[in-house]
Amino acid sequence: MSTSSHALPGGTWTLGDLTVTRFGYGAMQLAGPGVLGPPADRDGALDVLREAADLGITHIDTAGAYGPRVTNQLIREALHPYPDALHIVTKVGATRDLQGGWPPARRPDDLRRAVHENLEDLGLDALDVVDLRLGYAHGPQPGSLAEPFETLAELQQEGLVRHLGVSNATADQVTEARTIAPIVCVQNMYNLAHRHDDDLIDDLAADGIAYVPFFPLGGFTPLQSATLSAVATRLGTTPMSIALSWLLHRSPNILLIPGTSSTAHLRENISGARIPLPGKELDELDTIGH
């Protein structure tokens, strides 16, 4: 990697014994339309991954369900053998159907197969971090995660997984997971306009556990807010830049994984997240999600 991670906004965070840049990269958009099949521009997808590493990003988020298996294979082709500082976080617990849905796959056999497929596609002997994906595509669902999370804890004991996390989880599920095995991160939907996990973020920060918002820019429906637009105009930047910068300001345990299939957009996201937010603007932005 040619660029120091210190040049990235937000500095670093520690996932267990793994130090990662708070500004990371989410690989989901590297798959084809609907996160299915190969990318239209394979060389471009490989270029984005190599650019992320060259810019000093040491946290790449992926999942075997992306493609399925496409993004993991792209990561391996672009970056293997991996630099010592680079860490890959993957997810298990969902698969894909012929209609493009994300049905759950959380039985013990499903999870063991998914972990082994991730190892194969990424070219690794052990996965740095594995998140158990819960709920459904439309959001978290209450209920015990004991059986699937105990399976991941067994795979961790077998040496196939270093650290565990949960994704798309309720606060109660986070609490239950922590009674089974230590977790290093929670990955849930959260952004400037969707603040339902505020209390959870603060509780995790107090315990040194990372919170990784997916859809930090609103996902398939970009953030829309007159207040956000006004602050962006005042500071001479874009609403999306302000939204990324706000997340880094929100709490030191928040890690960003914005995705893109464009090297130019990747650099724009980094520049946007670096924008300082004065106290007045932070107070104004804080009114959006409340």
Side-chain angles (χ1 to χ4, degrees):
M1 291 178 288
S2 61
T3 302
S4 169
S5 61
H6 297 296
L8 292 167
T12 60
W13 183 262
T14 301
L15 298 171
D17 60 349
L18 309 175
T19 299
V20 298
T21 51
R22 288 183 65 206
F23 191 99
Y25 173 72
M28 185 176 73
Q29 293 187 31
L30 295 184
V35 202
L36 285 171
D41 181 2
R42 185 178 185 85
D43 289 341
L46 297 172
D47 286 345
V48 172
L49 288 163
R50 291 171 181 142
E51 180 79 350
D54 285 344
L55 291 170
I57 288 173
T58 63
H59 174 200
I60 293 181
D61 178 84
T62 185
Y66 298 164
R69 305 182 70 169
V70 168
T71 61
N72 283 352
Q73 292 166 2
L74 290 169
I75 290 168
R76 180 175 183 173
E77 182 175 347
L79 300 175
H80 195 277
Y82 305 112
D84 290 341
L86 182 67
H87 301 295
I88 299 171
V89 178
T90 190
K91 291 175 288 297
V92 297
T95 185
R96 306 304 305 278
D97 59 29
L98 295 178
Q99 291 73 44
W102 302 79
R106 295 193 283 268
R107 295 174 302 181
D109 288 349
D110 294 328
L111 297 174
R112 287 185 172 275
R113 180 172 56 255
V115 164
H116 282 282
E117 287 178 351
N118 273 272
L119 289 167
E120 177 184 350
D121 292 340
L122 290 166
L124 292 168
D125 296 322
L127 300 169
D128 284 334
V129 183
V130 174
D131 290 338
L132 175 63
R133 171 77 176 187
L134 297 161
Y136 296 91
H138 58 270
Q141 294 292 313
S144 175
L145 51 61
E147 182 182 56
F149 203 70
E150 286 169 358
T151 299
L152 290 187
E154 290 171 4
L155 289 163
Q156 184 182 37
Q157 291 298 315
E158 293 169 18
L160 299 179
V161 177
R162 293 193 175 94
H163 300 289
L164 299 175
V166 292
S167 175
N168 205 32
T170 67
D172 286 344
Q173 288 166 338
V174 172
T175 299
E176 184 183 15
R178 296 180 67 186
T179 68
I180 297 169
I183 65 172
V184 298
C185 57
V186 173
Q187 186 179 127
N188 279 359
M189 180 179 175
Y190 180 85
N191 55 50
L192 186 57
H194 297 88
R195 304 279 301 275
H196 52 283
D197 270 354
D198 272 340
D199 290 342
L200 177 60
I201 289 170
D202 294 339
D203 290 343
L204 294 173
D207 291 336
I209 298 171
Y211 185 94
V212 187
F214 64 78
F215 293 160
L217 300 177
F220 301 110
T221 305
L223 296 175
Q224 302 290 327
S225 164
T227 300
L228 176 61
S229 296
V231 170
T233 299
R234 194 182 311 144
L235 296 179
T237 187
T238 67
M240 297 303 97
S241 293
I242 296 297
L244 288 175
S245 179
W246 178 85
L247 284 167
L248 289 180
H249 281 80
R250 167 63 183 83
S251 182
N253 68 322
I254 287 183
L255 311 184
L256 299 186
I257 50 167
T260 178
S261 58
S262 158
T263 55
H265 190 207
L266 174 63
R267 287 180 173 271
E268 288 172 8
N269 283 341
I270 292 172
S271 296
R274 186 179 288 119
I275 291 171
L277 295 177
K280 175 186 175 183
E281 277 67 28
L282 282 173
D283 290 343
E284 194 172 345
L285 292 167
D286 199 47
T287 67
I288 293 175
H290 290 147

